[in-house]
Structures are given as structure tokens and as C-alpha cells.
Amino acid sequence: MQRSVVKKKVMKANFVNPVEETMTSSSAPSRKALSKIACNRLQKELVEWQVNPPAGFKHKVTDNLQRWIIEVNGASGTLYANECYQLQVDFSEHYPMEAPQVIFLSPAPFHPHIYSNGHICLGFHIANADILYDSWSPAMTVSSICISILSMLSSSTVKQRPADNDRYVKNCRNGRSPKETRWWFHDDKV
Amino acid sequence: MAEEEEVLMEVEALQAVYGDDCLVIEKFPPNFHLHINPRTADDSSQQFVEAVIGVRACPQYPEEPPHLEIIGSKGLDGHRKKHLITRIQEKAHELSSCLMLVALCEEAVETLSNMNHPDGNCPLCLYPLVLEDKQNSFLPFMKLMSCFHCFHSECIIRWWKWLQEQKEINPNTSSYDTVCPSRDLENQREMHGTMKANMGNCPVCRMIFHTEDIEHVLNLVGTHSFQLNLEETEASSDEALLQSDSENIRRQKFETLLKLQQENSGLIEPKSIEVLLPGTFLPESITIPTVSVKATNKQQQGDPTSTLASETDSSGSSNKPSTSKPKNSGMRKYRAQNSRKQLKQWIKKENSATE
Ligand SMILES: [Zn+2]
Ligand SMILES: [Zn+2]
């Protein structure tokens, strides 16, 4: 009985706040500089990444610690084999308390949970707990997010946009504040 | 070849020594599970690892050594688990065709005692909890009693305060909530209302812990005027913190404690009744907690009666590495009597317990 209520519930996917400027991907994030703690943590993650990068990912070296651009190679044997996409990961000053915002840069892969503007909706229908961005924990890392996203891509059986793509993307253009942006959970099988 | 009777007597001896820590499944050929703690385990806050080993002998025992395995563990990564089992297996070969069960168990406890420190990095800042190779380079850390995951005290408190702040700012958007229990959405929603008040979830494994675990650290941190405050912490650079005098003293004291512990094979004699904080490991005053707050959820729920008294003068002198006298005999008995509840508790939790 709780079931239907649960599914209709509006969830805030904190890590992918569709900030307006991410629509026009070139503009810089208008966000406060990283705290010392966020800086230290990201530097540590970067070092770890260089030593031991997640398979299928390549970090494009920039001098911007606050925005990572990461190349994703579709895993062989999946719908996205031999395809390459780019993820943009933005960190708030409060990282890792706050989840990072992760979007695909254009062109975003066709996938039932990836909108044409690159926003990703990862929900509870995916059996992998790491993929629950809704329950972000500061013990997660960029690397663990990447692995989740690749597993989401790899498990896809069809290359298509989410059913509500047009409505969603249009809403994002209406310039509402990131704080108001919430995700509707897809009503797939749980 | 040993008679069956001899083997049966050995099993009896085993039960006498280990009491409830030893779960005998079969007397002959011997098949049992042994719950092992490091030798400091009378004080659960000083315990960072534990394990259950399975020993299964065949009818040809002791001509053939028993089969040995680790059935469950906390605080041990794959590497350390392998080390533990290898050591016991080596012992088994060494003692081949003697009655060896008690000796194997002692070897297991010994090995585990030497590994009684948290491993790896703080999951929140990704910096090491304990640097074994370098002297004097760590910050106070604590462990969650339920899952043995360890964090820098400062890091976990920062996270905890952040959660509280978020709740105040957005009391309605509870769906974004790190304090959600399980992987199952329905469950989360149903349990949410009832559990959020006095429980949290480990950032690593999401196992439920009682906020008392953290609040104790919170109080403690306040008492010792750590840089706790969000703004303050962010402003101060870690390097500066590491260099500071008080930090150096704290580290030296911790170093001393570790040495002492090593010399005594992980055995530390409780010296004074001072700080008692479940799960807190506080290098800066080497007071050794003596009241046993057991790592069972039940008791944690019960009463947070632990008192906090600080005594700084004596701690320095009373904990210098002194003569390392073996204390095994007395402690063993005590421990065996004391561990009734732990076995049950432990086995129940074993699935989610490992990393
Ligand atoms: Zn830390
Ligand atoms: Zn944990």
C-alpha cells in the first residue's frame, strides 16, 4: 500500500541539479570555491585515480579541480561498445558532504535514464546500491560514481530517451533554480 | 594414532578454555567455530578487528590437520584475512600429528591481536587512519561499534553535523537523506520515520548505528576543544593542524600506546577509570577505558551512562612501555566468561560486517 506512494514521491537527485548553465556547457559554474577540505579530498581522489583509474574511464587533465571532464568508453559486448561519451562532474564547495553534479556532455548517450540535455536519472530500479545517488554518502567517490554509471549503461537493453524527455528538458529551460529541481522517479519495475 | 577419547578430551579442554566463544558443532571428529577477539577485547572500544574461524577435522585427525577457514570477520580486509588463515595453517603443519586444536586457537588469537588496528584510509577524507611506517602522523579516530568501520573523529563529526544542519534547513526533503537504512526503497520509507531520531547509517556500509556512538565523540571533541566547528575546520589547513604542538604531543602519546600494545601482544592492562566512550579511540590522552561497554546493540540502546572524566597527569607516566609480562592466563578466563552475548550478536551481523 505504501508502494504507490513511494513511487510517486518526488526525489531530489542532489548530484545532478540541472543548473541552467550546464545547458550551455561552456559557461563556468557560478559556485563558491572549494573549501580546503573539499580540495584535499579531491586531490586525494585524483591521485588515487591516476594510480588506479576505473576501467573504461579517462580523466581529461585540466587545472580545474572543481570540474572534472571524464571520458567514458562503452563496455564491449554492450549497446554502447566502441562509443565514447564525456561526463562532466562538478563539485560544490561542500564536497564530499554534498554529492557532485554529474551530467553527460552533448551528445549524451541514448538511454532510458539519460535525458537529451545530459542529465542522468539513476533510480532505485537499478539493483546496484552504489548507484543510488539519492542516498549519496561522503564515502562514495568520483570513481565509484563512474563505475555505477558504466554499469547503468551496460545493463541497458534499448537505446532510447526517457519517456518524459521533452517535458523534462523543456522544464529545465524555464530557468528554475537548481534547488527546486527534483527528479521524478521512473515508474519502472522496482 | 590418538584414540578417539583423547580427541574428545581435547575438545572438552577447548570448551573449558574458550567457553561460549567456542561453538562446538560436532565433538568427533571435532568441528567447531571459534569467535576470536584481540586480547584487548575486554574493552570493546579498543577492539578494531574480530573474526570467527571454522575448524573441521576429519576422522584421521590429528594425523591429518583440520580444515581451517574464516567464517566471518570485522575490520579485516582480504589481505589481513589471508594472513590470519595462513598463520593458523602454518601452525597446523608445524604441529602435524599432535593434538593441536588449542594451540591453533591460541595462534589465531595471537595473530589477530597483532593486527588490532584499523586498516587503510579514513573513508571520508581518504587520508590514512594510522600510518604504520611513519611516526607521529595520525589524528584521533573512532570506530562505529556496529560495523567496526573507522573514521577520523573530526571527519565523522563534520559529516554528522552536516546531516543535522541539512535536516534543519530542509526538514521536508527528507528523501535526500543519508540516514536511510537499506538498499530497499520501500523499506527506507517505512522505517524512516521511526529510525531517524536516534540512529544513523554508517557512511560506508549503511549499517545502522546509534547516535550515542557519535554523540559521545561529539562531547569528547568539545571537551578537548578540537577544531570541530565547521567553519573553523575549513579554515585551518590540515598541515597546520598536524604541525601544532598539541598535535605532536598527542601523536607521541598514541605512539607510546601502540608500542605498549605491541610489546604485550595487544594486551593492555587496564590502569585507571577515566574516559569511557564506546568506539572512541583517542590518542591524545592515553587513558585506557576500563568499563566494558560491549559492542552489542542492545546494551548501547540501554543506557548511555558512560561517564566522562578526564585525568591528564597520570596518563603519561602510567602508560610508558614497561615490562612486558604475559597476562594471558587471567585474561583468558575473564574474556571467556564475558563474551556470551557477543557471539550471537556477531553472527547475526556477519553479512554486512565486512568491507
Ligand atoms: Zn578522515
Ligand atoms: Zn560501516
Side-chain angles (χ1 to χ4, degrees):
Chain A
M1 26 106 210
Q2 287 248 4
R3 203 158 238 271
S4 54
V5 182
V6 160
K7 282 200 202 150
K8 291 288 180 293
K9 200 154 189 171
V10 180
M11 311 291 286
K12 185 175 143 206
N14 211 38
F15 76 113
V16 218
N17 283 333
V19 189
E20 230 186 324
E21 59 236 19
T22 57
M23 300 290 298
T24 62
S25 66
S26 59
S27 62
S30 60
R31 148 177 336 115
K32 284 171 90 179
L34 295 172
S35 68
K36 182 75 188 170
I37 284 162
C39 244
N40 283 346
R41 156 89 187 226
L42 279 171
Q43 268 156 4
K44 197 76 181 161
E45 281 197 51
L46 199 52
V47 170
E48 173 57 27
W49 179 295
Q50 279 153 1
V51 176
N52 184 21
F57 293 89
K58 195 166 160 252
H59 174 250
K60 290 178 80 174
V61 181
T62 64
D63 54 1
N64 188 353
L65 198 58
Q66 196 159 8
R67 168 174 286 180
W68 294 20
I69 306 293
I70 295 169
E71 272 180 16
V72 193
N73 287 296
S76 60
T78 71
L79 290 181
Y80 306 90
N82 303 317
E83 294 176 16
C84 184
Y85 298 95
Q86 290 197 323
L87 284 170
Q88 175 179 289
V89 188
D90 284 314
F91 303 94
S92 85
E93 56 169 324
H94 296 302
Y95 184 76
M97 298 302 154
E98 272 176 4
Q101 300 177 13
V102 185
I103 62 164
F104 275 102
L105 293 179
S106 184
F110 277 85
H111 184 283
H113 300 120
I114 302 172
Y115 292 98
S116 53
N117 63 3
H119 296 173
I120 308 164
C121 178
L122 297 180
F124 288 93
H125 42 269
I126 294 166
N128 181 350
D130 291 340
I131 224 162
L132 309 183
Y133 287 97
D134 170 62
S135 50
W136 165 259
S137 145
M140 292 169 159
T141 62
V142 182
S143 185
S144 71
I145 292 172
C146 284
I147 290 164
S148 296
I149 287 176
L150 189 59
S151 112
M152 179 194 78
L153 281 181
S154 298
S155 62
S156 172
T157 53
V158 55
K159 275 183 161 179
Q160 63 181 35
R161 293 285 178 220
D164 59 341
N165 186 67
D166 292 351
R167 183 169 58 90
Y168 175 81
V169 173
K170 202 169 131 230
N171 278 344
C172 287
R173 287 203 190 100
N174 289 341
R176 37 189 197 166
S177 102
K179 289 270 181 247
E180 290 169 48
T181 306
R182 294 172 182 205
W183 290 104
W184 287 95
F185 262 83
H186 289 260
D187 222 347
D188 313 24
K189 268 219 87 46
V190 174
Chain B
M1 197 196 201
E3 299 295 323
E4 180 172 336
E5 208 169 300
E6 275 183 273
V7 175
L8 283 172
M9 275 170 65
E10 194 190 14
V11 173
E12 261 170 47
L14 207 63
Q15 285 176 297
V17 174
Y18 292 99
D20 291 328
D21 284 344
C22 183
L23 176 69
V24 175
I25 295 159
E26 198 75 63
K27 288 204 167 178
F28 190 89
N31 180 1
F32 62 94
H33 293 177
L34 185 74
H35 181 202
I36 53 175
N37 296 311
R39 290 214 165 97
T40 52
D42 291 322
D43 170 12
S44 58
S45 75
Q46 298 296 311
Q47 181 187 330
F48 298 103
V49 290
E50 68 177 26
V52 171
I53 54 170
V55 181
R56 201 177 65 241
C58 61
Q60 284 76 41
Y61 171 82
E63 294 309 316
E64 279 185 33
H67 173 78
L68 299 157
E69 62 179 332
I70 294 180
I71 291 172
S73 67
K74 284 186 185 181
L76 296 176
D77 59 5
H79 180 74
R80 299 209 291 178
K81 270 188 250 180
K82 187 147 186 271
H83 176 71
L84 175 61
I85 201 72
T86 308
R87 285 294 291 272
I88 314 170
Q89 281 162 347
E90 282 167 5
K91 193 75 181 178
H93 279 288
E94 201 181 297
L95 298 174
S96 141
S97 67
C98 307
L99 293 172
M100 62 174 86
L101 296 180
V102 175
L104 294 184
C105 294
E106 281 304 294
E107 182 70 20
V109 174
E110 190 67 34
T111 308
L112 192 72
S113 297
N114 287 329
M115 294 192 287
N116 189 27
H117 55 83
D119 204 28
N121 297 333
C122 167
L124 299 180
C125 68
L126 309 180
Y127 284 81
L129 287 164
V130 178
L131 288 179
E132 284 174 273
D133 45 341
K134 273 191 218 165
Q135 292 224 335
N136 299 338
S137 14
F138 31 85
L139 295 164
F141 59 87
M142 58 85 71
K143 74 164 185 186
L144 293 175
M145 301 301 284
S146 46
C147 59
F148 283 33
H149 280 124
C150 293
F151 309 86
H152 293 126
S153 302
E154 224 179 283
C155 292
I156 192 127
I157 292 302
R158 190 183 306 123
W159 168 73
W160 188 245
K161 287 194 150 187
W162 167 265
L163 285 187
Q164 307 313 311
E165 274 177 28
Q166 294 313 101
K167 268 187 208 155
E168 278 168 35
I169 297 168
N170 298 323
N172 296 324
T173 51
S174 57
S175 47
Y176 168 60
D177 195 347
T178 319
V179 193
C180 266
S182 70
R183 307 180 164 202
D184 176 4
L185 174 61
E186 272 98 59
N187 255 340
Q188 281 189 12
R189 297 297 160 241
E190 276 160 26
M191 289 174 68
H192 189 248
T194 53
M195 71 163 294
K196 71 176 172 186
N198 57 355
M199 297 186 206
N201 288 91
C202 169
V204 177
C205 67
R206 298 186 194 277
M207 186 182 274
I208 294 167
F209 63 80
H210 290 258
T211 50
E212 288 157 23
D213 277 15
I214 283 201
E215 277 154 7
H216 280 137
V217 183
L218 192 74
N219 294 337
L220 187 83
V221 170
T223 311
H224 295 266
S225 67
F226 278 147
Q227 311 204 356
L228 195 256
N229 185 302
L230 251 184
E231 288 74 30
E232 239 180 273
T233 316
E234 279 172 9
S236 77
S237 90
D238 286 1
E239 285 76 21
L241 188 64
L242 283 170
Q243 305 301 325
S244 77
D245 282 351
S246 67
E247 207 43 47
N248 278 329
I249 293 162
R250 193 181 293 159
R251 279 188 243 119
Q252 277 160 12
K253 287 184 175 174
F254 184 41
E255 195 64 29
T256 313
L257 176 64
L258 269 191
K259 258 186 217 141
L260 177 68
Q261 195 174 324
Q262 270 166 6
E263 281 166 25
N264 292 337
S265 310
L267 182 72
I268 297 178
E269 188 182 9
K271 288 257 161 78
S272 54
I273 310 168
E274 290 170 308
V275 187
L276 171 64
L277 299 160
T280 308
F281 195 68
L282 193 75
E284 127 253 36
S285 67
I286 320 179
T287 53
I288 297 158
T290 46
V291 190
S292 323
V293 176
K294 289 297 168 195
T296 60
N297 283 334
K298 290 247 160 61
Q299 281 173 339
Q300 281 175 26
Q301 243 164 359
D303 54 340
T305 49
S306 357
T307 49
L308 180 74
S310 49
E311 180 196 322
T312 38
D313 282 351
S314 70
S315 59
S317 55
S318 63
N319 284 292
K320 286 202 185 96
S322 52
T323 53
S324 47
K325 34 195 168 168
K327 292 267 164 34
N328 301 9
S329 48
M331 296 296 267
R332 161 71 55 223
K333 209 170 182 184
Y334 178 56
R335 197 173 65 84
Q337 290 166 351
N338 223 333
S339 50
R340 191 153 292 151
K341 268 185 192 145
Q342 287 190 341
L343 183 62
K344 261 194 205 155
Q345 273 289 339
W346 197 89
I347 283 170
K348 210 158 53 186
K349 287 188 282 193
E350 77 182 353
N351 278 338
S352 35
T354 41
E355 67 273 275

